[in-house]
Every structure is written in C-alpha cells, then in structure tokens.
Amino acid sequence: GENVEQHPSTLSVQEGDSAVIKCTYSDSASNYFPWYKQELGKRPQLIIDIRSNVGEKKDQRIAVTLNKTAKHFSLHITETQPEDSAVYFCASQTQGGSEKLVFGKGMKLTVNP
Amino acid sequence: EPEVTQTPSHQVTQMGQEVILRCVPISNHLYFYWYRQILGQKVEFLVSFYNNEISEKSEIFDDQFSVERPDGSNFTLKIRSTKLEDSAMYFCASTSTGDTDTQYFGPGTRLTVL
C-alpha cells in the first residue's frame, strides 16, 4: 500500500537556524502533499501544501520542494523561532483514489532560544 | 474562520462498552474523514465518507466501527465494543471538494479504554 517515510524523527536547532524535514512517498500517482504542524495536545494544522504540478512553494519562512522523479518532498523552515517547536507531519494523497491522507511518522522539532 | 468541532474532548470507557464520537464538519464541506493517532505515533486513516456512504475504509476500520451522518451537521464514529488498543486520539476532518483539497482537522477526542 501507500507509504510515506519521514526523517529525521527529531531535530533540535538553535533559534535563527534553518530546519529541513524530508519525506519520501511510494505511490507515483500521488499528487498532493500537505504539511501539518501539531503542537502538544492540539489538532494538526495545515501550514503549507504543494500539488504535483509545481516544484516549489514558499510562504514567508517556510517553503516546500517536490521532486516527483525521486518521489520526495521537503519542508524548509528558515529563521526558526521557539514557537516553531512542534511535531511536523508530511502526508500524501493519491489522484483518482480515495481522498485519504497517508501520513509520515512525524518529526519533533525543538527550537532552543 | 469556520472550524471542525468535536465532542467530547475526552472519553473514558470500560472495555467492551460502546462509544460514539461526534464531529461537526465545516458547514459547506462534503467530504468527511476519521483518523486516529495512538499516543506518540503517526496519524492513521480510518474512513472517508461522501454522499452518505463510505468511500474508503482502512484495515483498522473493522466491523466494530461504523460512521453515520444522522442529520445535516453531525458526523459520528461509533465503536461497538471497545478494546484496550482503541485508546487513541480520534480526529475528524472535512474538505469541500475532496481531491487535492485541504483537509481541516477537528481538535480531537481522546478515547481512553480501561
């Protein structure tokens, strides 16, 4: 079945540094890739998404890149702040199938002041 | 901004009991989902629902689970006979058009089975 691998599982950075989270997916028919941020005990919140017809998307300090040939996509956070500390999940959705999201295992980001 | 809501926020039940988790999706959304997240693990798909029927369900969604949209606003997940391993956070999500559309998650119901 579809599978999304995410790494690293944890990352600790100093405030102001950049953070990169990488995901790979197995289904070449996947065409939608959202990223969710989940703070402790809270709901997953969409922070950015990318569709398969583009290779990169940016929103202020966050950006996502997609390499369809290699079947991987990455989240980049620049100038990290303590409030960026959370668990980040990548996910994929497959065109023409169910609309379900298949999630990676998540990455716990800690931004130290 | 409209949000998905869920009740209760926390449900404690005895093994073997039935529970109903409730969700109110965003009002103009047509596609509804249930996901679960066991503590410290990833979010897992349970079921998707569109046009008053299940469109897909995962292996987790066995005969003990059912979903219903009893009226125009609520979307419920029923677990008929809870097991210890059903303890998890259950998230409802909704989207307006399904394919490649943002899924908005509710705050979750933490289910604890004793």
Side-chain angles (χ1 to χ4, degrees):
Chain A
E2 298 155 65
N3 190 42
V4 174
E5 298 288 337
Q6 183 172 354
H7 57 95
S9 56
T10 61
L11 180 63
S12 182
V13 299
Q14 290 299 121
E15 184 176 358
D17 286 351
S18 295
V20 180
I21 311 167
K22 298 180 180 180
C23 288
T24 59
Y25 59 97
S26 60
D27 189 344
S28 56
S30 296
N31 68 334
Y32 174 63
F33 307 92
W35 286 89
Y36 286 84
K37 175 184 179 183
Q38 186 179 33
E39 296 173 14
L40 191 62
K42 302 245 178 110
R43 75 184 80 195
Q45 294 265 21
L46 180 78
I47 54 171
I48 195 167
D49 56 15
I50 191 166
R51 291 168 176 81
S52 59
N53 56 346
V54 297
E56 186 173 353
K57 184 176 177 181
K58 190 172 180 181
D59 182 5
Q60 298 182 347
R61 294 187 298 109
I62 58 173
V64 58
T65 58
L66 171 65
N67 183 327
K68 287 200 69 182
T69 304
K71 291 192 283 189
H72 69 69
F73 56 114
S74 301
L75 178 73
H76 304 251
I77 307 173
T78 58
E79 300 170 33
T80 53
Q81 300 164 4
E83 51 265 38
D84 293 331
S85 297
V87 178
Y88 291 81
F89 291 95
C90 61
S92 72
Q93 184 186 69
T94 298
Q95 181 177 18
S98 157
E99 308 81 28
K100 71 179 183 189
L101 295 177
V102 178
F103 284 84
K105 288 188 175 179
M107 188 207 78
K108 183 176 180 182
L109 174 66
T110 303
V111 180
N112 300 301
Chain B
E1 185 176 329
E3 286 188 334
V4 177
T5 59
Q6 289 184 244
T7 54
S9 57
H10 191 191
Q11 174 90 48
V12 181
T13 189
Q14 295 290 326
M15 190 169 57
Q17 295 296 304
E18 175 183 286
V19 294
I20 298 176
L21 310 183
R22 291 182 166 80
C23 168
V24 179
I26 294 172
S27 64
N28 62 342
H29 284 187
L30 301 175
Y31 295 78
F32 315 115
Y33 312 86
W34 284 101
Y35 293 85
R36 80 168 186 192
Q37 185 179 33
I38 295 171
L39 187 64
Q41 298 187 23
K42 66 177 175 180
V43 178
E44 300 174 288
F45 169 78
L46 291 178
V47 65
S48 57
F49 191 87
Y50 169 70
N51 201 26
N52 281 322
E53 61 183 26
I54 291 173
S55 48
E56 184 173 350
K57 57 185 180 180
S58 72
E59 291 176 355
I60 303 167
F61 194 89
D62 62 22
D63 292 345
Q64 294 301 313
F65 291 85
S66 62
V67 289
E68 195 177 32
R69 186 151 164 84
D71 52 44
S73 58
N74 290 284
F75 179 51
T76 61
L77 175 69
K78 181 193 289 186
I79 309 175
R80 266 181 270 281
S81 177
T82 50
K83 308 185 199 63
L84 295 176
E85 54 265 37
D86 294 327
S87 295
M89 182 73 95
Y90 288 81
F91 292 104
C92 172
S94 71
T95 184
S96 59
T97 62
D99 191 29
T100 70
D101 197 12
T102 301
Q103 291 190 17
Y104 294 90
F105 282 73
T109 293
R110 179 165 297 285
L111 176 65
T112 302
V113 182
L114 302 175

